[in-house]
Amino acid sequence: MYGRTDTDEQMDDVGRSIQGLSDKSETEYKAYTRRWVILLAVSLLNFSNAMNWVTFAPIANLTGVYFETSLNNVNMLSIVFMIVSIPVGFVVCWLLDSIGLAIGLWLGAALNAIGCVMRVFAWMHGGRFWLLMFGQSLCAVAQPFGLFPPTKVAAVWFPNDQRATANMLASMANPVGIAVGMLVPPFIVTASELKSSMFRLLWICVIPAALNVVCTLSVTRNKPPTPPSASADDVSEPFFSGLKKLWHNRQYHLLLFAWGVGLGIFNVLITLLQQFLCPWGYEDRFAGVAGGVMCLAGLIGSGLTSWYVDKTKNFVLALKLCYGGAAIGLCWFAMVSSMRDQKALVLGSVMLFGFFGYGLLPVALELGVECTYPVAEATSAGILWLAGQIFGIALVVVASLPIMQTPLTDAQQRYSECSVHNSTSEPNDYDMTRSTLMICGVAAFTILIFLPCFRSPYRRVAAERGEDLNVPLHMHF
């Protein structure tokens, strides 16, 4: 009497996947040592690309002076990564799922390395900003080639008790690169030796990009000869069929929204951290240290959460606890970042935000695979990353609006570390407290929706246990 629904079709597909897993129950699975080389290639790409993304964020004022451009244009050097990755990201999702992992890693390594060299050419040609932006744009095109593969590499090359850890190692190379990119530039680039120190910084960024190219040359296979687990031997959904199933998955929509907001807020902090802190007397070096500490704390947090979910498979609880902890750290930062001489409190707040905020990264990526199985891993993870970039652009633009900036008082101007004048750039003498309060409000609103409403079955875990996915599964809160 009634026609078939998308849910019926999805359950049939999952049922066929389960049948396939059952048929392969006698297969001998094997994990190859070369999986670590592939993981290293992805990690180096993420590390190098993240360094390139934030190179100029902690030295925004000095960058504006050397390249004779405005602070808004300097911010675009970071924002271009979010903009470019949206259209490119869909192509990368399709390429990884349809053509293969190896060609994607080759393209990413090449684009990232060429972009680094173009940035050096910008210096060699007298500080031409358009050439610098071109190099940044090439690096931006390379970004999805590093961000999207970790879940696919973990699923195809690693056994099920190592997937979250492998995902964490490859994904967390990104915040490690951000940490180095935030910490190193303020200690290398100085106003007294601006030209030579900028040259040294740009060449330092070339080194990991070159190492990534060398490592990626050894990646010659898309998958191992023998799969490491039952689900790795299963055939994923075709790309466009997978997109259709994601469109109709309500729990994935909630995860997409919460992840997008969280990653967007992180992008705001990384892009504008120096501009948040400098009106209150915090110099560029401290802003760089704060950004680096945030990312390194995130490395510890993600390591602990990955170990926990690998052992317990309790993805939803870990995700909700991390989201709540990150929101507390963000609100703490909003309060103390507008106080003078409170470096310990500022560092404590960004450490808390980084620990929990990046702690949820590998958990959310794995949960995206669990709640959408058998959709291809690169598709579910790639769409999550794209949502984060879209929210990041929106939040950075809103945080930079004139209505979010208030002029400093005469007293504040005496200790502000923002003003660097040249013939073309304007000083950044604005208090951006409204922006930090705005992102806190966005985080609070997201928590009110996500924490009580999100629940999900673990479809891939159930499939590997041989459970029937055509019947209602246990929903994890």
Side-chain angles (χ1 to χ4, degrees):
M1 180 180 294
Y2 299 100
R4 290 175 58 80
T5 65
D6 291 316
T7 302
D8 295 330
E9 294 176 3
Q10 183 176 15
M11 297 305 289
D12 286 347
D13 291 337
V14 173
R16 287 191 291 270
S17 297
I18 288 297
Q19 181 63 43
L21 292 175
S22 300
D23 294 340
K24 298 165 189 170
S25 59
E26 302 299 324
T27 303
E28 181 180 352
Y29 301 111
K30 181 179 180 180
Y32 292 81
T33 304
R34 75 180 72 173
R35 70 189 188 277
W36 298 108
V37 177
I38 297 172
L39 193 70
L40 177 62
V42 178
S43 301
L44 281 173
L45 177 55
N46 274 322
F47 174 84
S48 173
N49 192 261
M51 275 188 65
N52 296 334
W53 173 31
V54 300
T55 302
F56 307 104
I59 53 169
N61 293 320
L62 292 175
T63 301
V65 171
Y66 180 74
F67 289 97
E68 297 185 348
T69 192
S70 67
L71 198 60
N72 285 334
N73 285 341
V74 174
N75 289 341
M76 283 300 301
L77 294 172
S78 296
I79 297 173
V80 69
F81 275 71
M82 306 177 215
I83 297 174
V84 170
S85 66
I86 295 172
V88 173
F90 286 101
V91 178
V92 174
C93 285
W94 170 83
L95 187 148
L96 291 175
D97 289 336
S98 303
I99 298 180
L101 178 68
I103 187 65
L105 294 181
W106 294 344
L107 287 173
L111 288 166
N112 186 62
I114 295 171
C116 283
V117 173
M118 293 303 298
R119 302 194 315 172
V120 176
F121 285 167
W123 179 92
M124 295 173 64
H125 286 76
R128 294 188 180 182
F129 182 78
W130 70 267
L131 197 53
L132 178 69
M133 179 61 76
F134 179 66
Q136 282 290 97
S137 299
L138 289 178
C139 293
V141 173
Q143 187 184 55
F145 289 99
L147 291 180
F148 294 5
T151 52
K152 188 175 185 67
V153 172
V156 173
W157 284 90
F158 285 80
N160 57 13
D161 61 343
Q162 295 180 0
R163 283 195 298 241
T165 300
N167 195 356
M168 179 273 296
L169 291 173
S171 299
M172 290 309 296
N174 180 267
V176 173
I178 293 174
V180 174
M182 294 292 290
L183 283 168
V184 171
F187 289 91
I188 292 181
V189 179
T190 61
S192 58
E193 298 179 349
L194 187 55
K195 184 176 181 179
S196 60
S197 60
M198 185 68 72
F199 179 71
R200 287 195 298 270
L201 174 63
L202 295 175
W203 267 113
I204 288 174
C205 292
V206 173
I207 296 173
L211 292 175
N212 173 231
V213 171
V214 174
C215 185
T216 304
L217 292 176
S218 64
V219 180
T220 58
R221 298 186 66 98
N222 294 321
K223 60 182 181 179
T226 303
S229 66
S231 61
D233 200 23
D234 194 28
V235 178
S236 298
E237 287 285 337
F239 176 67
F240 292 104
S241 177
L243 285 181
K244 181 180 178 181
K245 286 179 168 53
L246 295 182
W247 178 262
H248 293 284
N249 190 321
R250 294 182 180 179
Q251 295 307 313
Y252 184 75
H253 294 170
L254 283 173
L255 180 63
L256 192 71
F257 173 68
W259 164 275
V261 170
L263 186 59
I265 289 173
F266 175 80
N267 288 341
V268 171
L269 287 181
I270 288 297
T271 303
L272 302 178
L273 183 61
Q274 185 259 351
Q275 295 164 55
F276 285 156
L277 294 175
C278 68
W280 304 98
Y282 299 106
E283 67 279 6
D284 287 359
R285 288 188 176 182
F286 176 74
V289 169
V293 165
M294 177 171 63
C295 296
L296 293 178
L299 183 64
I300 298 173
S302 67
L304 292 175
T305 56
S306 297
W307 172 83
Y308 173 74
V309 297
D310 261 341
K311 298 300 181 183
T312 67
K313 303 302 181 184
N314 202 344
F315 299 96
V316 174
L317 176 62
L319 184 67
K320 291 184 176 181
L321 289 176
C322 285
Y323 211 108
I328 294 172
L330 181 64
C331 293
W332 184 11
F333 174 78
M335 290 188 292
V336 301
S337 62
S338 58
M339 300 178 183
R340 289 196 63 204
D341 301 323
Q342 298 295 332
K343 291 185 176 181
L345 293 179
V346 172
L347 290 178
S349 66
V350 296
M351 284 179 64
L352 184 63
F353 176 79
F355 181 88
F356 286 105
Y358 259 114
L360 65 82
L361 189 152
V363 180
L365 292 175
E366 285 293 304
L367 186 54
V369 175
E370 292 291 340
C371 73
T372 61
Y373 181 85
V375 174
E377 298 85 5
T379 301
S380 61
I383 300 301
L384 286 175
W385 282 111
L386 291 178
Q389 304 293 43
I390 292 171
F391 277 100
I393 294 170
L395 291 174
V396 169
V397 169
V398 172
S400 303
L401 291 175
I403 194 173
M404 292 292 179
Q405 304 171 346
T406 57
L408 299 185
T409 64
D410 292 339
Q412 288 176 312
Q413 289 179 359
R414 285 196 292 269
Y415 53 76
S416 171
E417 293 284 341
C418 297
S419 297
V420 177
H421 299 268
N422 64 22
S423 60
T424 61
S425 63
E426 295 293 331
N428 179 34
D429 287 333
Y430 294 101
D431 176 3
M432 301 186 71
T433 302
R434 291 179 182 176
S435 297
T436 58
L437 295 177
M438 179 271 295
I439 58 177
C440 283
V442 172
F445 174 76
T446 304
I447 284 179
L448 291 176
I449 296 176
F450 180 71
L451 293 190
C453 297
F454 182 76
R455 56 181 183 173
S456 175
Y458 301 157
R459 294 183 177 277
R460 183 173 61 178
V461 171
E464 292 181 334
R465 291 173 179 169
E467 298 179 19
D468 184 2
L469 300 192
N470 288 309
V471 300
L473 298 174
H474 174 66
M475 302 295 286
H476 298 266
F477 291 87

